[in-house]
Amino acid sequence: MNKFLLVIVFLSVIAFGTSAQTKPAPQLSIGGEFGFPVGKMADVYGSVIGASVKYEAPIASSRFNLTLTAGISDYLVKLTYVGAANPAFYVPLEVGGRYYFSKLGYVEADFGISNNINSKNNPVYLNGVIVNASKAAFIYSPVIGFSAPVYKKKTKIDIGFRYEGRVENGGPVGQIAARAAYRFGL
């Protein structure tokens, strides 16, 4: 985990250094998320809500930007679930890249680490296998979305759709989610 944090710091330094030498300004977006669990977790959890902050640093004058994302996701237990389970809270920290294929549209790939805040208090067993008890796990997230200007092109609304997978010993913990965010320059 220390090596992962070192990589994040290194990429952040590169992002800040390259953004200082170019005209495009870094962007920050703050938004809410809503999703649905997929795979084994869909048997226990019915929906996912969350929030995130994303820092986006342009690389020179290209269409490619480095991203750094932090957030929280709350997997809510289905009302019809008869077993004993509490909501599962995850805090992901991801680094990635965003490529704008048009003035509005983009694709993004993120990867990082996801911390399970209540792993010891809330193991979920499905068919005798614990599926969400790891304290920290690798996370990946492909995204497609668009970012449209809303006020004199200084601020934007950012809408993204993604699959998010958390690699667990008992199988992946995943969700399909949408993120709506307010994006502005720094």
Side-chain angles (χ1 to χ4, degrees):
M1 187 157 133
N2 290 335
K3 290 180 183 178
F4 178 74
L5 292 175
L6 182 62
V7 169
I8 288 176
V9 169
F10 177 73
L11 289 175
S12 297
V13 168
I14 290 174
F16 283 117
T18 57
S19 66
Q21 300 170 3
T22 63
K23 278 194 170 187
Q27 302 279 314
L28 186 69
S29 64
I30 300 169
E33 303 180 8
F34 183 77
F36 295 100
V38 294
K40 295 178 182 180
M41 296 301 283
D43 294 340
V44 178
Y45 299 102
S47 60
V48 182
I49 59 171
S52 62
V53 175
K54 184 179 296 277
Y55 174 79
E56 190 175 334
I59 302 298
S61 60
S62 72
R63 294 180 171 197
F64 182 78
N65 295 345
L66 288 177
T67 61
L68 181 61
T69 309
I72 187 163
S73 296
D74 182 4
Y75 282 67
L76 302 172
V77 179
K78 284 183 175 179
L79 295 175
T80 58
Y81 182 68
V82 292
N86 293 318
F89 293 99
Y90 296 102
V91 177
L93 179 61
E94 299 171 297
V95 65
R98 180 180 281 193
Y99 177 76
Y100 287 90
F101 57 83
S102 73
K103 287 187 177 188
L104 301 177
Y106 64 84
V107 292
E108 184 176 332
D110 298 321
F111 64 92
I113 192 164
S114 173
N115 290 304
N116 185 345
I117 295 174
N118 58 346
S119 62
K120 292 182 182 177
N121 301 332
N122 189 33
V124 172
Y125 296 89
L126 292 175
N127 300 325
V129 178
I130 297 176
V131 293
N132 76 332
S134 298
K135 183 69 177 165
F138 176 76
I139 190 170
Y140 59 94
S141 181
V143 182
I144 186 163
F146 63 93
S147 188
V150 291
Y151 179 72
K152 296 183 182 180
K153 297 187 180 184
K154 292 182 179 181
T155 60
K156 297 180 179 184
I157 294 296
D158 194 317
I159 307 287
F161 302 95
R162 76 174 187 283
Y163 169 79
E164 181 180 271
R166 184 177 198 272
V167 181
E168 289 277 357
N169 292 338
V173 173
Q175 69 167 314
I176 295 174
R179 176 180 188 257
Y182 178 72
R183 188 173 143 205
F184 52 93
L186 297 176

